[in-house]
Amino acid sequence: MSEFRHIGKVRRRQDGRAIVTGKALYCDDLPIKNCYVAKVLHSPYPHAEIVSIDTSEAEKLPGVCGVMTYKNAPDWKTGVPAHRPVMSQHLRFVGDPVAAVAAENAQIAEQALELIRVEYRQLPPVYDVEDAIKPGAPEVYRAEDNIESKGYHYERNCLPPGSWFEGNDPPFYKIQDGDVEQGFAESDVVVEGKVAYTWTFPGAPESPFVAAGWDDDTHVNVWASSQGPNMVCRPLAYTIGAHINVTTPNVGGSYGNKDALGYITMLTVALAKVTGVTVKYALTKEEHLLFYERRLDNKFIGKIGITKDGRIKALQGDWLVGTGAGSELTQGQVAEGLGELHIALNKCPNWDIEAKVVVSNKIPVGIARGFGGQELKACALHLLTRALRQIDMDPVTFYKKNFCQAGDEYYWRTGHKYSNPVINYDKCFDVAAEKFRWFDRWKGWGVPSRVEGNKAYGVGFSLHSSGDPQSDETFAYVRLENDQVMVHCAVSQFGNGQRLALAKIAAEILNVPLENVTINSSDTRTDPADFGAAGSRETITAGGAVGSAAKAARQKLLEEAAEKMGCSAEDLDTKDLMVFRKDDPSVCLPWIAICPMYYSITGEGVVKGDFNHNNCVMNFVEVEVDLETGLAKITDALSASDVGRIINPLELKMQFEGGLGSAGMDTGHLEEMVLDPVIGRVMTHNMIDYKWRPFNELPKFDTAVLESVWPTANPYGAIGIGEITGAAGPAAVLMAIENAIGGAEINEYPATPDKILNALGKAKGGLVE
Amino acid sequence: MEMSKELTLHINGQTYEFTIGRKLGQIPESETLLETLRERLGLTGTKLSCGEGACGCCAVLMDGKAVASCVTLTAECGGKEITTIEGLADPVTGELDPIQEAFLEHNAFQCGFCTPGIIIAVKSLLNANPHPTEDEIKEALSGNFCRCISHYQVIEAVQSIVKGGEQA
């Protein structure tokens, strides 16, 4: 779009040179003075009680500053609702912290861990969501843990529904609309079944890191590898009754998973309090895989009715959500997952779906992109394919009929309905399907697109839409000083190019070169409040807040210039650090004459947020299945959206490509955590055994990006899509695999070779039940 | 009494004299090259990720070839020429290595955490094979994990150097 100077143009990221020369500082690179090192002793058992613990030898070791166990840890709890203590005598998964040591260096801390003597009493574990809710199942929490929210109590391994997402309103954990029995009666086809989505690791190359030190009894300094510094400090500050300052330098990948860092921040802040020193806890990669928060797993057991012409009439089901030994915000994921299903199947009039958040002796669940909807839809929409097969309608045609359009109402995370009056994705279906050659490649349900020897190819489609892109509050301010523009907005650098987008917006509005704009390092000491990078929201919210702040600063600049120039601000404009009369540009004044050496002009901006702007990403995939070995690969992928105005073209393309990784699209057939059911330990606790996509396994990847100007709070009409680019992926991949293999059914993710060969009747495998 | 052994390291054109031993300030036999670089020399551009040689984040050049510094013992690096990401640019002019320049030009990174290791792996590849095919590039980088999926831009960046005919 040529009308802009920076918006929509390819620009080098301002931090790029530091990244390619190794000078960019990530958390563990920071010189934090007088900082002790934390190491944690983890439970070797999935479910146990500490009978006795003796830390005296560890405490005597020279260089050890202190040891924390359940006996001396502060009485704080994190999670939704508060349930996960700093340390507990009751250990709930392999990896649950038993003790934490602060020492002068890592070697001494590790030596100290070996000197701690613990006697455990093992308890029977439970792992599966269906097993955990059966009568007589081992209890992961107990009545005396007093887990309560909004009048609901923990009961038989189910956490209370609801989260702070609903405010004081009732919990949003079910959709009951219309009359499903009548809907099924009006349907031509009714299908029933169960689909399971496995547990996966959305983690980043940089393992989570937190350092903490107390200034005094009421002030804590925290350094955190977080994509959302305010998410780190604000809920925890409320819990512990102290003010927390958070610094977030460069973050080595996050994907939603290093947002709140809730438990490990609480643990580190507690250890700093107990020992009285500044302490850093840099998780090893094994700890990252073994005990850090993972993506939720779930099962959908349901029933769906549709008519011959592809109108969905009724959806009923139990959504069993596995949250492992803890929930950072799983109930929030339930609320958004329900909303995302409701947007996708928006034309369905009759709903009866209810979620249960089930605890078990697996690793606790944290935050990950896709946030509930990816996991629910991977299951519910896969069940739906059984019905589409019977009416012989392809999924693109079906979803175009049933997806939420402008003006339709959809549920979002508060449990209330919202509506987006303008944004429509109808055209996106058509453009993307044509670019992918969908209707050429689609040969019908259970029919491969082509077969070449042992290789069969199939195509699949799914889509995702979230109500979050304009959610919640973001504040910003912009300072003009001399010839410089300083932007304050708590947006971390974690790879998405958002800081470049903010620099462009400020530079565009103030009409200055990009080089004159500095984005302040993300720090809650100097940046105003912000909900954080989540739900693709910062394109609109941070973009809008910074845009308003830049406009306000510009207005003040012109007003102060007008006084000096003896005219009115309306007569003036600014470009390249000069203010000039519109009717006679030769009458001008440089910025440095308006804001000289020790002078600031400050503008403030805010976006308060709503849920009336839903984004959308469509995933088209082709897979190749080796019919002899059962190995499935994605060979061709196309992701599509209408993103409003494009701000960063290259970064946008890379956000789409990023949907493959971080436990997104690749959870359809590749990524999976594997549990040893005998010892209850994750076997995939290193980067060889947990499979990631490497450089020599890349599919062809294309995008179809439509550009409109949507009426969002972004000053240029953009809408963010980063969170959801892979969320519909697994459902599309599994659909494509079933088509490639001739329609044999697979009801469990991921479709690894053993499951594919099983479905083909070529092998019997897996662990005996 | 334990004997001290001298160790001379050549890193980014500088010479560092150490002794191996267990006393304060000495390098223990068990210290990894990654620890020496990051904790003693402040060269934090080399990153720790998996800690077992699987992911490529800690790659440095040893005599021109990429090695995983997290599973390399410093005590065994005597006499080797080590180059880290900080040592690729011209030390006098500050001019970037063509690989670094291409990564900037093609925006071949997102979070940037795996980027130093990938750049080192590309340097190692081009040292051995100045004109790799696309498949050879992908194969050579298969030991470098990137979670953001910047792979496509990385391949484009590397191809731009090869096509440009510049000797990296």
Side-chain angles (χ1 to χ4, degrees), chain A residues 12-13 16-17 20 22 26 28-29 201 203 205 253 255 285 495 651 653-654 658 671 686-687 695-696 699, chain B residues 38 45 47 49 52 54 85 94 100-101 104-105 107 110-112 139 141-142 144-145 147-149 152-153:
Chain A
R12 290 187 177 190
R13 259 169 57 181
R17 194 178 166 97
V20 303
Y26 297 77
D28 204 17
D29 305 333
F201 172 71
Y255 326 114
K285 191 52 69 184
E651 286 79 2
K653 170 185 143 337
M654 295 173 82
E671 291 194 30
N686 60 62
M687 283 166 75
F695 264 92
N696 53 353
Chain B
R38 289 181 56 84
K47 303 299 180 198
S49 180
E52 53 195 4
I85 188 71
Q100 294 170 310
E101 191 56 47
L104 279 177
E105 178 66 27
N107 198 48
Q110 290 179 75
C111 80
E139 215 43 53
L141 294 178
S142 63
N144 290 82
F145 287 3
R147 195 62 158 159
C148 300
I149 311 290
Y152 295 93
Q153 292 307 110

CSV table of all heavy atoms in Angstrom, one decimal, chain A residues 12-13 16-17 20 22 26 28-29 201 203 205 253 255 285 495 651 653-654 658 671 686-687 695-696 699, chain B residues 38 45 47 49 52 54 85 94 100-101 104-105 107 110-112 139 141-142 144-145 147-149 152-153:
chain,number,residue,atom,x,y,z
A,12,ARG,N,13.8,-3.8,8.3
A,12,ARG,CA,14.6,-4.6,9.2
A,12,ARG,C,14.2,-4.4,10.7
A,12,ARG,O,13.9,-3.3,11.1
A,12,ARG,CB,16.1,-4.3,9.1
A,12,ARG,CG,16.6,-4.8,7.7
A,12,ARG,CD,18.1,-4.6,7.7
A,12,ARG,NE,18.6,-5.1,6.4
A,12,ARG,CZ,19.9,-5.2,6.2
A,12,ARG,NH1,20.8,-4.9,7.1
A,12,ARG,NH2,20.3,-5.7,5.0
A,13,ARG,N,14.1,-5.5,11.4
A,13,ARG,CA,13.8,-5.3,12.8
A,13,ARG,C,14.9,-4.6,13.5
A,13,ARG,O,16.1,-4.8,13.3
A,13,ARG,CB,13.6,-6.7,13.5
A,13,ARG,CG,12.2,-7.1,13.7
A,13,ARG,CD,12.0,-8.5,14.0
A,13,ARG,NE,12.7,-8.9,15.2
A,13,ARG,CZ,12.6,-10.1,15.8
A,13,ARG,NH1,11.9,-11.0,15.2
A,13,ARG,NH2,13.3,-10.4,16.9
A,16,GLY,N,17.5,-6.7,15.1
A,16,GLY,CA,18.0,-7.7,14.2
A,16,GLY,C,19.6,-7.8,14.3
A,16,GLY,O,20.1,-8.9,14.4
A,17,ARG,N,20.2,-6.7,14.3
A,17,ARG,CA,21.7,-6.7,14.3
A,17,ARG,C,22.2,-7.3,15.6
A,17,ARG,O,23.2,-8.1,15.6
A,17,ARG,CB,22.3,-5.3,14.2
A,17,ARG,CG,23.7,-5.3,13.9
A,17,ARG,CD,24.3,-3.9,13.6
A,17,ARG,NE,25.8,-3.9,13.7
A,17,ARG,CZ,26.5,-4.0,12.6
A,17,ARG,NH1,26.0,-4.0,11.4
A,17,ARG,NH2,27.8,-4.1,12.7
A,20,VAL,N,21.8,-11.2,15.2
A,20,VAL,CA,22.7,-12.0,14.4
A,20,VAL,C,24.1,-11.9,14.8
A,20,VAL,O,25.0,-12.6,14.3
A,20,VAL,CB,22.5,-11.6,12.9
A,20,VAL,CG1,21.1,-11.8,12.4
A,20,VAL,CG2,23.0,-10.2,12.6
A,22,GLY,N,24.9,-12.0,18.2
A,22,GLY,CA,25.0,-12.6,19.5
A,22,GLY,C,25.0,-11.6,20.6
A,22,GLY,O,25.2,-12.0,21.8
A,26,TYR,N,19.3,-12.3,26.4
A,26,TYR,CA,18.1,-13.1,26.9
A,26,TYR,C,18.3,-13.2,28.4
A,26,TYR,O,19.4,-12.8,29.0
A,26,TYR,CB,18.0,-14.4,26.2
A,26,TYR,CG,17.8,-14.3,24.7
A,26,TYR,CD1,18.8,-13.9,23.9
A,26,TYR,CD2,16.6,-14.5,24.2
A,26,TYR,CE1,18.6,-13.8,22.5
A,26,TYR,CE2,16.3,-14.3,22.8
A,26,TYR,CZ,17.4,-13.9,22.0
A,26,TYR,OH,17.2,-13.8,20.7
A,28,ASP,N,19.0,-15.4,30.7
A,28,ASP,CA,20.2,-16.0,31.4
A,28,ASP,C,21.5,-15.3,31.0
A,28,ASP,O,22.5,-15.7,31.4
A,28,ASP,CB,20.2,-17.5,31.0
A,28,ASP,CG,20.9,-18.3,32.1
A,28,ASP,OD1,21.2,-17.8,33.2
A,28,ASP,OD2,21.3,-19.5,31.8
A,29,ASP,N,21.4,-14.4,30.1
A,29,ASP,CA,22.6,-13.6,29.6
A,29,ASP,C,22.8,-12.4,30.5
A,29,ASP,O,23.8,-11.7,30.4
A,29,ASP,CB,22.5,-13.2,28.2
A,29,ASP,CG,22.2,-14.4,27.2
A,29,ASP,OD1,22.6,-15.5,27.6
A,29,ASP,OD2,21.6,-14.1,26.2
A,201,PHE,N,4.0,-30.8,24.1
A,201,PHE,CA,5.0,-29.8,24.7
A,201,PHE,C,5.1,-28.6,23.8
A,201,PHE,O,5.7,-28.8,22.7
A,201,PHE,CB,6.3,-30.5,24.9
A,201,PHE,CG,7.5,-29.7,25.3
A,201,PHE,CD1,7.5,-29.1,26.6
A,201,PHE,CD2,8.5,-29.4,24.4
A,201,PHE,CE1,8.6,-28.3,27.0
A,201,PHE,CE2,9.6,-28.6,24.8
A,201,PHE,CZ,9.6,-28.1,26.1
A,203,GLY,N,6.8,-26.1,24.2
A,203,GLY,CA,7.9,-25.3,24.7
A,203,GLY,C,8.9,-24.8,23.7
A,203,GLY,O,9.0,-25.2,22.6
A,205,PRO,N,12.8,-23.1,22.6
A,205,PRO,CA,14.3,-23.4,22.8
A,205,PRO,C,14.8,-22.9,24.1
A,205,PRO,O,15.5,-23.6,24.8
A,205,PRO,CB,14.9,-22.7,21.6
A,205,PRO,CG,13.9,-22.6,20.5
A,205,PRO,CD,12.6,-22.4,21.3
A,253,GLY,N,11.6,-17.5,22.5
A,253,GLY,CA,10.4,-18.3,22.1
A,253,GLY,C,9.5,-18.4,23.3
A,253,GLY,O,9.9,-18.5,24.4
A,255,TYR,N,5.3,-18.9,22.5
A,255,TYR,CA,4.1,-19.6,21.9
A,255,TYR,C,3.0,-19.7,23.0
A,255,TYR,O,2.3,-20.7,23.0
A,255,TYR,CB,4.5,-21.0,21.4
A,255,TYR,CG,5.9,-20.9,20.8
A,255,TYR,CD1,7.0,-21.7,21.4
A,255,TYR,CD2,6.2,-20.1,19.7
A,255,TYR,CE1,8.2,-21.6,20.9
A,255,TYR,CE2,7.5,-20.1,19.2
A,255,TYR,CZ,8.5,-20.8,19.8
A,255,TYR,OH,9.8,-20.7,19.3
A,285,LYS,N,16.7,-28.1,30.2
A,285,LYS,CA,15.7,-28.6,29.2
A,285,LYS,C,15.0,-29.8,29.7
A,285,LYS,O,13.8,-30.0,29.4
A,285,LYS,CB,16.5,-28.9,27.9
A,285,LYS,CG,15.6,-29.1,26.7
A,285,LYS,CD,14.5,-28.1,26.5
A,285,LYS,CE,15.1,-26.8,26.0
A,285,LYS,NZ,14.1,-25.7,25.9
A,495,GLY,N,9.7,-12.7,19.3
A,495,GLY,CA,9.8,-13.3,17.9
A,495,GLY,C,8.7,-12.9,16.9
A,495,GLY,O,8.9,-13.1,15.8
A,651,GLU,N,7.0,-10.7,8.6
A,651,GLU,CA,6.7,-11.3,9.9
A,651,GLU,C,5.3,-11.9,9.9
A,651,GLU,O,5.1,-13.0,10.5
A,651,GLU,CB,6.7,-10.2,11.0
A,651,GLU,CG,8.2,-9.7,11.4
A,651,GLU,CD,8.8,-8.7,10.4
A,651,GLU,OE1,8.1,-8.3,9.4
A,651,GLU,OE2,9.9,-8.3,10.6
A,653,LYS,N,3.9,-13.4,7.2
A,653,LYS,CA,4.2,-14.7,6.6
A,653,LYS,C,4.8,-15.7,7.5
A,653,LYS,O,4.4,-16.9,7.6
A,653,LYS,CB,5.1,-14.5,5.3
A,653,LYS,CG,5.6,-15.8,4.7
A,653,LYS,CD,6.6,-15.4,3.6
A,653,LYS,CE,7.8,-16.2,3.4
A,653,LYS,NZ,8.4,-17.1,4.2
A,654,MET,N,5.7,-15.3,8.3
A,654,MET,CA,6.4,-16.2,9.2
A,654,MET,C,5.5,-16.6,10.4
A,654,MET,O,5.7,-17.7,10.9
A,654,MET,CB,7.7,-15.5,9.8
A,654,MET,CG,8.7,-15.3,8.6
A,654,MET,SD,10.1,-14.3,9.1
A,654,MET,CE,11.2,-15.6,9.8
A,658,GLY,N,4.8,-20.4,11.3
A,658,GLY,CA,5.0,-20.8,12.7
A,658,GLY,C,3.9,-21.7,13.3
A,658,GLY,O,4.1,-22.3,14.3
A,671,GLU,N,3.9,-34.6,17.0
A,671,GLU,CA,4.3,-34.3,18.4
A,671,GLU,C,3.4,-35.0,19.4
A,671,GLU,O,2.2,-35.0,19.3
A,671,GLU,CB,4.2,-32.7,18.5
A,671,GLU,CG,5.2,-32.0,17.7
A,671,GLU,CD,5.4,-30.6,18.2
A,671,GLU,OE1,5.2,-30.3,19.4
A,671,GLU,OE2,5.7,-29.7,17.3
A,686,ASN,N,13.7,-35.2,26.5
A,686,ASN,CA,14.8,-34.5,25.9
A,686,ASN,C,14.5,-34.2,24.4
A,686,ASN,O,13.4,-34.6,23.9
A,686,ASN,CB,16.1,-35.4,26.0
A,686,ASN,CG,15.9,-36.7,25.3
A,686,ASN,OD1,15.7,-36.7,24.1
A,686,ASN,ND2,16.0,-37.8,26.0
A,687,MET,N,15.4,-33.4,23.8
A,687,MET,CA,15.0,-32.9,22.5
A,687,MET,C,15.3,-33.9,21.3
A,687,MET,O,15.1,-33.6,20.2
A,687,MET,CB,15.6,-31.5,22.2
A,687,MET,CG,14.9,-30.5,23.0
A,687,MET,SD,15.7,-28.9,23.2
A,687,MET,CE,15.5,-28.3,21.6
A,695,PHE,N,15.0,-29.0,9.9
A,695,PHE,CA,15.1,-28.3,8.6
A,695,PHE,C,14.9,-29.2,7.4
A,695,PHE,O,14.5,-28.7,6.3
A,695,PHE,CB,16.6,-27.7,8.5
A,695,PHE,CG,16.7,-26.3,8.9
A,695,PHE,CD1,17.0,-25.9,10.2
A,695,PHE,CD2,16.4,-25.2,8.0
A,695,PHE,CE1,17.1,-24.6,10.6
A,695,PHE,CE2,16.5,-23.9,8.4
A,695,PHE,CZ,16.8,-23.6,9.7
A,696,ASN,N,15.3,-30.5,7.5
A,696,ASN,CA,15.2,-31.3,6.3
A,696,ASN,C,13.8,-32.0,6.2
A,696,ASN,O,13.6,-33.0,5.5
A,696,ASN,CB,16.3,-32.4,6.3
A,696,ASN,CG,16.4,-33.1,7.6
A,696,ASN,OD1,15.7,-32.8,8.5
A,696,ASN,ND2,17.2,-34.1,7.6
A,699,PRO,N,7.5,-29.0,4.7
A,699,PRO,CA,6.6,-29.1,3.5
A,699,PRO,C,6.7,-27.8,2.7
A,699,PRO,O,7.2,-26.8,3.1
A,699,PRO,CB,5.3,-29.2,4.2
A,699,PRO,CG,5.4,-28.4,5.5
A,699,PRO,CD,6.9,-28.6,5.9
B,38,ARG,N,30.4,-18.7,28.2
B,38,ARG,CA,29.4,-17.8,28.7
B,38,ARG,C,29.8,-17.3,30.1
B,38,ARG,O,29.5,-16.1,30.4
B,38,ARG,CB,28.1,-18.7,28.9
B,38,ARG,CG,27.4,-19.0,27.5
B,38,ARG,CD,26.1,-19.8,27.7
B,38,ARG,NE,25.2,-19.1,28.6
B,38,ARG,CZ,24.3,-18.1,28.2
B,38,ARG,NH1,24.3,-17.8,26.9
B,38,ARG,NH2,23.6,-17.5,29.1
B,45,GLY,N,26.5,-14.9,23.5
B,45,GLY,CA,25.8,-15.1,22.2
B,45,GLY,C,25.6,-16.6,21.9
B,45,GLY,O,24.6,-17.0,21.2
B,47,LYS,N,24.2,-20.1,23.0
B,47,LYS,CA,23.1,-20.3,23.9
B,47,LYS,C,23.1,-21.8,24.4
B,47,LYS,O,23.4,-22.7,23.6
B,47,LYS,CB,21.8,-20.0,23.2
B,47,LYS,CG,21.6,-18.6,22.6
B,47,LYS,CD,21.7,-17.6,23.7
B,47,LYS,CE,21.6,-16.2,23.2
B,47,LYS,NZ,22.0,-15.2,24.1
B,49,SER,N,20.6,-24.7,25.3
B,49,SER,CA,19.2,-25.1,25.2
B,49,SER,C,19.1,-26.5,25.7
B,49,SER,O,18.8,-26.8,26.9
B,49,SER,CB,18.6,-25.0,23.8
B,49,SER,OG,17.3,-25.4,23.8
B,52,GLU,N,22.6,-31.4,25.6
B,52,GLU,CA,23.1,-32.7,25.2
B,52,GLU,C,23.4,-32.8,23.8
B,52,GLU,O,23.4,-33.9,23.2
B,52,GLU,CB,22.2,-33.8,25.7
B,52,GLU,CG,20.8,-33.6,25.3
B,52,GLU,CD,19.8,-34.5,26.1
B,52,GLU,OE1,20.2,-35.1,27.0
B,52,GLU,OE2,18.6,-34.5,25.7
B,54,ALA,N,21.9,-32.0,21.0
B,54,ALA,CA,20.8,-32.3,20.1
B,54,ALA,C,20.3,-31.2,19.3
B,54,ALA,O,19.8,-31.4,18.2
B,54,ALA,CB,19.7,-33.0,20.8
B,85,ILE,N,29.7,-16.7,17.7
B,85,ILE,CA,28.9,-15.8,16.9
B,85,ILE,C,29.5,-14.3,17.1
B,85,ILE,O,29.4,-13.6,16.1
B,85,ILE,CB,27.4,-15.8,17.4
B,85,ILE,CG1,26.5,-15.0,16.5
B,85,ILE,CG2,27.2,-15.4,18.8
B,85,ILE,CD1,26.3,-15.6,15.1
B,94,GLY,N,34.0,-3.8,12.0
B,94,GLY,CA,32.7,-4.1,12.4
B,94,GLY,C,31.8,-4.6,11.3
B,94,GLY,O,30.6,-4.9,11.5
B,100,GLN,N,25.6,-13.1,8.2
B,100,GLN,CA,24.8,-12.3,9.2
B,100,GLN,C,24.0,-11.2,8.4
B,100,GLN,O,22.9,-10.9,8.7
B,100,GLN,CB,25.8,-11.6,10.1
B,100,GLN,CG,26.5,-12.6,11.1
B,100,GLN,CD,27.6,-11.9,11.9
B,100,GLN,OE1,28.5,-11.3,11.3
B,100,GLN,NE2,27.5,-12.1,13.2
B,101,GLU,N,24.7,-10.7,7.4
B,101,GLU,CA,24.0,-9.6,6.5
B,101,GLU,C,22.8,-10.3,5.8
B,101,GLU,O,21.7,-9.7,5.8
B,101,GLU,CB,25.1,-9.1,5.5
B,101,GLU,CG,24.6,-7.9,4.8
B,101,GLU,CD,24.2,-6.7,5.7
B,101,GLU,OE1,25.0,-6.4,6.7
B,101,GLU,OE2,23.2,-6.1,5.4
B,104,LEU,N,19.9,-10.7,8.2
B,104,LEU,CA,19.2,-9.4,8.4
B,104,LEU,C,18.3,-9.1,7.2
B,104,LEU,O,17.2,-8.7,7.3
B,104,LEU,CB,20.2,-8.3,8.6
B,104,LEU,CG,20.8,-8.2,10.0
B,104,LEU,CD1,21.8,-7.0,10.0
B,104,LEU,CD2,19.7,-7.9,11.0
B,105,GLU,N,18.9,-9.2,6.0
B,105,GLU,CA,18.2,-8.9,4.8
B,105,GLU,C,17.0,-9.7,4.6
B,105,GLU,O,15.9,-9.2,4.1
B,105,GLU,CB,19.2,-9.1,3.6
B,105,GLU,CG,18.6,-8.8,2.2
B,105,GLU,CD,18.3,-7.3,2.0
B,105,GLU,OE1,18.9,-6.5,2.7
B,105,GLU,OE2,17.4,-7.0,1.2
B,107,ASN,N,15.4,-11.4,7.0
B,107,ASN,CA,14.6,-11.5,8.3
B,107,ASN,C,14.6,-13.0,8.7
B,107,ASN,O,13.5,-13.6,9.0
B,107,ASN,CB,13.2,-11.0,8.1
B,107,ASN,CG,12.5,-10.7,9.4
B,107,ASN,OD1,13.1,-10.1,10.3
B,107,ASN,ND2,11.3,-11.2,9.6
B,110,GLN,N,13.1,-15.3,14.2
B,110,GLN,CA,12.0,-14.7,14.9
B,110,GLN,C,12.4,-14.4,16.4
B,110,GLN,O,12.9,-13.3,16.6
B,110,GLN,CB,10.7,-15.6,14.8
B,110,GLN,CG,10.2,-15.6,13.4
B,110,GLN,CD,9.0,-16.4,13.1
B,110,GLN,OE1,7.9,-16.1,13.5
B,110,GLN,NE2,9.2,-17.6,12.4
B,111,CYS,N,12.3,-15.4,17.3
B,111,CYS,CA,12.8,-15.1,18.6
B,111,CYS,C,14.3,-14.9,18.7
B,111,CYS,O,14.8,-14.2,19.6
B,111,CYS,CB,12.3,-16.1,19.6
B,111,CYS,SG,13.3,-17.6,19.7
B,112,GLY,N,15.0,-15.5,17.8
B,112,GLY,CA,16.5,-15.2,17.7
B,112,GLY,C,17.3,-16.1,18.6
B,112,GLY,O,18.5,-16.0,18.6
B,139,GLU,N,20.0,-30.4,4.8
B,139,GLU,CA,20.6,-31.5,5.5
B,139,GLU,C,21.6,-31.0,6.5
B,139,GLU,O,21.7,-31.4,7.7
B,139,GLU,CB,21.3,-32.4,4.5
B,139,GLU,CG,21.3,-33.9,4.7
B,139,GLU,CD,20.0,-34.5,5.2
B,139,GLU,OE1,18.9,-34.2,4.6
B,139,GLU,OE2,20.0,-35.1,6.3
B,141,LEU,N,21.6,-28.2,8.1
B,141,LEU,CA,21.0,-27.5,9.2
B,141,LEU,C,20.0,-28.4,10.0
B,141,LEU,O,19.4,-28.0,10.9
B,141,LEU,CB,20.3,-26.3,8.7
B,141,LEU,CG,21.2,-25.2,8.1
B,141,LEU,CD1,20.3,-24.0,7.6
B,141,LEU,CD2,22.2,-24.7,9.1
B,142,SER,N,20.0,-29.7,9.7
B,142,SER,CA,19.0,-30.6,10.3
B,142,SER,C,19.3,-30.8,11.8
B,142,SER,O,18.4,-31.2,12.5
B,142,SER,CB,18.9,-31.9,9.6
B,142,SER,OG,20.1,-32.6,9.7
B,144,ASN,N,20.0,-28.3,13.7
B,144,ASN,CA,19.6,-27.0,14.4
B,144,ASN,C,18.1,-26.9,14.5
B,144,ASN,O,17.4,-26.8,13.5
B,144,ASN,CB,20.2,-25.8,13.6
B,144,ASN,CG,21.7,-25.8,13.7
B,144,ASN,OD1,22.4,-26.5,12.9
B,144,ASN,ND2,22.2,-24.9,14.5
B,145,PHE,N,17.6,-26.9,15.7
B,145,PHE,CA,16.2,-26.9,15.9
B,145,PHE,C,15.7,-25.4,16.0
B,145,PHE,O,16.3,-24.6,16.8
B,145,PHE,CB,15.8,-27.6,17.2
B,145,PHE,CG,15.9,-29.1,17.1
B,145,PHE,CD1,16.3,-29.7,15.9
B,145,PHE,CD2,15.4,-29.9,18.1
B,145,PHE,CE1,16.4,-31.1,15.8
B,145,PHE,CE2,15.5,-31.3,18.0
B,145,PHE,CZ,16.0,-31.9,16.8
B,147,ARG,N,12.0,-23.4,16.8
B,147,ARG,CA,10.6,-23.7,17.1
B,147,ARG,C,9.7,-22.7,16.5
B,147,ARG,O,8.5,-23.0,16.4
B,147,ARG,CB,10.5,-23.7,18.7
B,147,ARG,CG,9.3,-24.3,19.2
B,147,ARG,CD,9.1,-25.8,18.9
B,147,ARG,NE,8.3,-26.5,19.9
B,147,ARG,CZ,7.6,-27.6,19.6
B,147,ARG,NH1,7.8,-28.2,18.4
B,147,ARG,NH2,6.9,-28.2,20.5
B,148,CYS,N,10.2,-21.5,16.2
B,148,CYS,CA,9.3,-20.5,15.7
B,148,CYS,C,9.0,-20.7,14.2
B,148,CYS,O,8.1,-20.1,13.6
B,148,CYS,CB,10.0,-19.1,15.7
B,148,CYS,SG,10.4,-18.5,17.4
B,149,ILE,N,9.7,-21.7,13.6
B,149,ILE,CA,9.6,-22.0,12.1
B,149,ILE,C,10.1,-20.7,11.4
B,149,ILE,O,9.3,-20.1,10.7
B,149,ILE,CB,8.2,-22.4,11.7
B,149,ILE,CG1,7.7,-23.5,12.6
B,149,ILE,CG2,8.3,-22.9,10.2
B,149,ILE,CD1,8.4,-24.9,12.5
B,152,TYR,N,12.1,-21.3,6.6
B,152,TYR,CA,12.0,-20.9,5.2
B,152,TYR,C,12.8,-19.7,4.9
B,152,TYR,O,13.4,-19.6,3.8
B,152,TYR,CB,10.5,-20.6,4.8
B,152,TYR,CG,9.6,-21.9,4.9
B,152,TYR,CD1,9.0,-22.2,6.1
B,152,TYR,CD2,9.5,-22.8,3.9
B,152,TYR,CE1,8.2,-23.3,6.2
B,152,TYR,CE2,8.7,-23.9,3.9
B,152,TYR,CZ,8.1,-24.2,5.1
B,152,TYR,OH,7.3,-25.3,5.2
B,153,GLN,N,12.8,-18.7,5.8
B,153,GLN,CA,13.6,-17.5,5.6
B,153,GLN,C,15.1,-17.8,5.7
B,153,GLN,O,15.9,-17.2,5.0
B,153,GLN,CB,13.2,-16.4,6.6
B,153,GLN,CG,11.8,-15.9,6.3
B,153,GLN,CD,11.6,-15.4,4.9
B,153,GLN,OE1,10.8,-16.0,4.2
B,153,GLN,NE2,12.2,-14.3,4.6
